[in-house]
Amino acid sequence: MPPETNRTADTSPWVIAPTEERNPDTLDIDLVGTLDMLRMISDEDAKVPAAVRAVLPALAVAVDLATDALKGGHQVHYFGAGTSGRVAVMDAAELIPTYNIDPLWVVAHQAGGPEAVRRSVENVEDHEANGAAEGGELRAGDVAVGLTASGRTPYVMGALAAARAAGARTVLISAHPGATFGSEVDVHVAVATGPEAVAGSTRMKAGTAQKMLLNAFSTALMVRMGRTYSNLMVALDPRNAKLRGRVVRILAEATGLDARVCADAAERAGGDCRIALVSLLADVPVGTAKQALEEAAGGVREALAIAGLERD
């Protein structure tokens, strides 16, 4: 029997994890007034950022693994159940319009499938074999990121074990620093959020920490993949008037040029913000800017160096 579980008389698993413990600071949460109740919850939430910051060195290793994977033509896969899976699905979905990436770069797997995203599906997190089947589809060179507050969810453990057997690198993001499975992965990002305001309600601090960590992970990954210039979102897909206006604003902020000049450049570049940006900053035709970006695999700073050499 793994140390993270015990058994009750009816043989149901009794999870032993920090998030399952009773919080001594919220014992009277059902007795106090509403404002004091909210203050208790807020006090617990306030502990999350420091806990997240403490595990950034491990998260940095995970980002570098994922960057190497994507640059090598491989994929990043998220695996989670319940709140963890929904956080994963949301993060992966939002990367597509935000950074205009191939949907196959980052793929999210929710225990129970799409139906479980909208509504809780009972027992799917216990299906280790289902996780193993999905994780086994990864290839050598891919990266599998498993999210589980307890550090022991069978679906996630099955996915990570199968992914590693297939040659993928593996990352576990948990709220259980002592999780046994942490030694079975390449990187364990173990954020110590402690007991929840309501014992076992891991949609609270643990879920908040997972969202912060995954947002930071994927944002850093997109920066490493050249989807930004400075802190500007230059790889967006301008499908509507709002986004077309954002392209002009980004170009104006990045170059210091008049909005009309930037709008003209964007039009010549067919709406592609990065082509227009390289054209303006390097003072080269859009054709040269496009070629430089292709040679630089989409990275603006690298493309600027290439375009500058070609111009000279």
Side-chain angles (χ1 to χ4, degrees):
M1 184 186 303
E4 291 91 351
T5 61
N6 202 335
R7 295 280 172 176
T8 59
D10 65 358
T11 73
S12 298
W14 179 357
V15 177
I16 300 175
T19 53
E20 299 296 320
E21 298 172 2
R22 290 183 73 185
N23 191 323
D25 295 328
T26 59
L27 294 177
D28 295 332
I29 195 169
D30 61 336
L31 299 177
V32 300
T34 301
L35 180 56
D36 285 337
M37 181 195 309
L38 292 173
R39 284 172 175 154
M40 284 183 178
I41 294 170
S42 181
D43 285 346
E44 292 304 311
D45 289 342
K47 299 174 183 177
V48 175
V52 167
R53 189 172 185 83
V55 298
L56 292 184
L59 190 66
V61 176
V63 170
D64 290 341
L65 287 179
T67 301
D68 290 343
L70 291 186
K71 287 187 174 180
H74 301 287
Q75 296 174 298
V76 175
H77 291 257
Y78 297 158
F79 295 92
T83 296
S84 299
R86 294 183 189 99
V87 168
V89 169
M90 180 171 61
D91 188 85
E94 290 177 347
L95 291 177
I96 299 168
T98 302
Y99 294 103
N100 193 21
I101 65 168
D102 185 332
L104 295 180
W105 273 19
V106 180
V107 180
H109 303 260
Q110 163 86 354
E115 177 64 24
V117 176
R118 294 171 295 168
R119 180 178 303 177
S120 178
V121 178
E122 298 303 322
N123 301 321
V124 291
E125 69 177 50
D126 296 329
H127 295 170
E128 184 174 344
N130 290 354
E134 294 179 32
E137 295 179 355
L138 273 64
R139 303 171 297 155
D142 289 344
V143 171
V145 180
L147 296 100
T148 161
S150 67
R152 59 160 300 281
T153 302
Y155 168 82
V156 176
M157 302 302 98
L160 291 179
R164 187 166 192 176
R169 306 300 294 272
T170 52
V171 177
L172 174 64
I173 297 178
S174 84
H176 188 355
T180 301
F181 198 80
S183 63
E184 303 296 321
V185 295
D186 293 298
V187 185
H188 183 195
V189 183
V191 58
T193 52
E196 298 286 3
V198 174
S201 182
T202 53
R203 72 186 187 92
M204 301 182 78
K205 287 192 298 183
T208 299
Q210 287 180 342
K211 185 177 190 306
M212 290 179 69
L213 287 165
L214 213 54
N215 278 176
F217 168 85
S218 59
T219 299
L221 177 58
M222 293 299 103
V223 173
R224 284 283 173 259
M225 292 301 295
R227 311 308 283 185
T228 67
Y229 172 74
S230 180
N231 61 353
L232 297 171
M233 192 191 309
V234 295
L236 73 167
D237 183 8
R239 298 184 180 184
N240 57 45
K242 181 187 75 173
L243 293 178
R244 288 191 291 272
R246 182 176 292 171
V247 167
V248 174
R249 179 175 178 176
I250 288 171
L251 292 174
E253 290 182 347
T255 65
L257 296 173
D258 183 81
R260 288 171 295 183
V261 174
C262 294
D264 289 342
E267 185 175 354
R268 290 196 303 273
D272 191 304
C273 185
R274 285 180 293 174
I275 292 176
L277 182 58
V278 172
S279 175
L280 290 171
L281 289 177
D283 193 22
V284 295
V286 293
T288 302
K290 182 178 180 180
Q291 181 179 345
L293 280 162
E294 290 173 353
E295 294 179 24
V300 171
R301 292 193 186 276
E302 295 85 350
L304 286 171
I306 294 169
L309 288 174
E310 293 181 2
R311 181 194 62 212
D312 296 340

